[in-house]
Amino acid sequence: MWGVVPKVMWSAWTPAADDNTILLALRPFLAERGDVKVLVEPGVGDRWSPKLARIYGLVRHPTLDSSLGMAGVTPDSITHVIGTHAHWDHVGAWVVRRDGRLEPRFPRAQHYLPRIELDVARAADAVRAASYRAEDVEVIESAGILTTLTGNTEVLPGLRVHVLGGHSDGVAVVTFDEDGDDGAIFWSDVVPTAHHVQPPYIMAYDLDVARSYAVRSEWLERAAERGWTGCFYHDVDNAFGRVRREGKRFAVDVV
Ligand SMILES: [Zn+2]
């Protein structure tokens, strides 16, 4: 998660356990406007063997259903599901196994994903294979509830998906009311935690480091200029934070 950042720095922000792992969140975000209920990145899902769950240290509480319940939402009332890229820790919960069959977890929702992420998930090469499972997206596509995206798309009024790349071939950020006074951005793995707001703090997972650097520089600057509230998917302590300029660096005010 910290790439070239020295441990003496990152261990102050994300303390390491004895096995050098750090605690990360898998935090879905819900956006509501009347009957429109948008779920951004429903998380890792429950199709995990005990062995893999142990390797990744998956702790599944609260569950997605219990979190939705606390927000007063049922899975069937979700109208839109947005995936910023098809890594299994972001779209694993798109699909559920019922009576031995794989089915969409949100059958009434239209799902959105960058086009290239669908292509890559279906035919991942050796470099990408560990991060993708074809079934996560193929079940949704076969059900006829997948829309693929390129470039910059207004999926709903005021909600845009910007396909950027860098971390993965087509990782996207999602903006909410970006031209308004109270805009927000879901950073996905472009900025996975509130501590990753310096452009060189690039994860070792990232496929194209130069592209990541360019994308992160451009979008951190934009978020700081516009005062957007940032939503952090992997940050255990900070769900929301506003990026601002502090001299040559960026800083975050947690909100
Ligand atoms: Zn991730």
Side-chain angles (χ1 to χ4, degrees), residues 195-236:
H195 304 291
H196 280 82
V197 293
Q198 313 310 332
Y201 292 4
I202 294 168
M203 291 188 279
Y205 292 110
D206 282 24
L207 203 58
D208 182 339
V209 172
R211 175 84 190 146
S212 279
Y213 188 91
V215 159
R216 292 156 56 79
S217 303
E218 179 188 342
W219 282 82
L220 284 165
E221 194 70 61
R222 186 167 295 143
E225 268 171 22
R226 309 228 186 146
W228 290 335
T229 299
C231 310
F232 299 108
Y233 184 67
H234 284 307
D235 193 313
V236 173

Side-chain angles (χ1 to χ4, degrees), residues 82-102:
I82 297 181
T84 61
H85 59 308
H87 284 173
W88 49 254
D89 59 318
H90 293 252
V91 299
W94 278 18
V95 171
V96 66
R97 192 184 305 278
R98 288 196 186 104
D99 303 326
R101 291 164 45 110
L102 296 178

Side-chain angles (χ1 to χ4, degrees), residues 4-251:
V4 298
V5 180
K7 187 174 178 184
V8 68
M9 291 170 67
W10 64 253
S11 60
W13 306 317
T14 50
D18 290 343
D19 62 359
N20 220 33
T21 56
I22 60 173
L23 204 53
L24 294 170
L26 297 157
R27 180 185 291 112
F29 284 83
L30 179 71
E32 293 182 274
R33 182 183 281 160
D35 288 338
V36 176
K37 298 190 193 304
V38 184
L39 190 58
V40 183
E41 312 279 70
V44 73
D46 46 17
R47 287 171 295 115
W48 293 97
S49 67
K51 182 181 172 188
L52 282 174
R54 191 171 64 247
I55 289 171
Y56 292 114
L58 297 180
V59 179
R60 300 194 61 257
H61 58 78
T63 64
L64 178 59
D65 285 348
S66 70
S67 298
L68 289 172
M70 283 186 273
V73 174
T74 60
D76 277 355
S77 65
I78 300 292
T79 55
H80 301 74
V81 175
I82 297 181
T84 61
H85 59 308
H87 284 173
W88 49 254
D89 59 318
H90 293 252
V91 299
W94 278 18
V95 171
V96 66
R97 192 184 305 278
R98 288 196 186 104
D99 303 326
R101 291 164 45 110
L102 296 178
E103 298 173 1
R105 181 182 288 263
F106 303 101
R108 292 164 197 263
Q110 193 63 26
H111 294 57
Y112 297 82
L113 186 71
R115 170 89 224 172
I116 192 165
E117 290 289 325
L118 173 64
D119 298 341
V120 168
R122 274 196 192 127
D125 64 8
V127 175
R128 296 164 175 84
S131 305
Y132 290 93
R133 299 183 304 189
E135 65 194 43
D136 288 336
V137 291
E138 284 178 343
V139 171
I140 303 301
E141 196 197 17
S142 317
I145 51 175
L146 181 65
T147 301
T148 56
L149 306 169
T150 55
N152 160 6
T153 308
E154 188 165 34
V155 169
L156 287 163
L159 190 162
R160 286 185 176 276
V161 176
H162 298 264
V163 178
L164 304 177
H167 167 68
S168 66
D169 296 87
V171 69
V173 292
V174 184
T175 58
F176 302 86
D177 200 17
E178 60 182 61
D179 299 320
D181 296 334
D182 200 16
I185 181 167
F186 174 78
W187 283 113
S188 184
D189 283 353
V190 174
V191 185
T193 79
H195 304 291
H196 280 82
V197 293
Q198 313 310 332
Y201 292 4
I202 294 168
M203 291 188 279
Y205 292 110
D206 282 24
L207 203 58
D208 182 339
V209 172
R211 175 84 190 146
S212 279
Y213 188 91
V215 159
R216 292 156 56 79
S217 303
E218 179 188 342
W219 282 82
L220 284 165
E221 194 70 61
R222 186 167 295 143
E225 268 171 22
R226 309 228 186 146
W228 290 335
T229 299
C231 310
F232 299 108
Y233 184 67
H234 284 307
D235 193 313
V236 173
D237 302 311
N238 312 296
F240 300 103
R242 232 170 255 136
V243 179
R244 63 178 159 79
R245 265 279 176 201
E246 198 175 72
K248 287 186 173 167
R249 297 169 62 83
F250 291 100

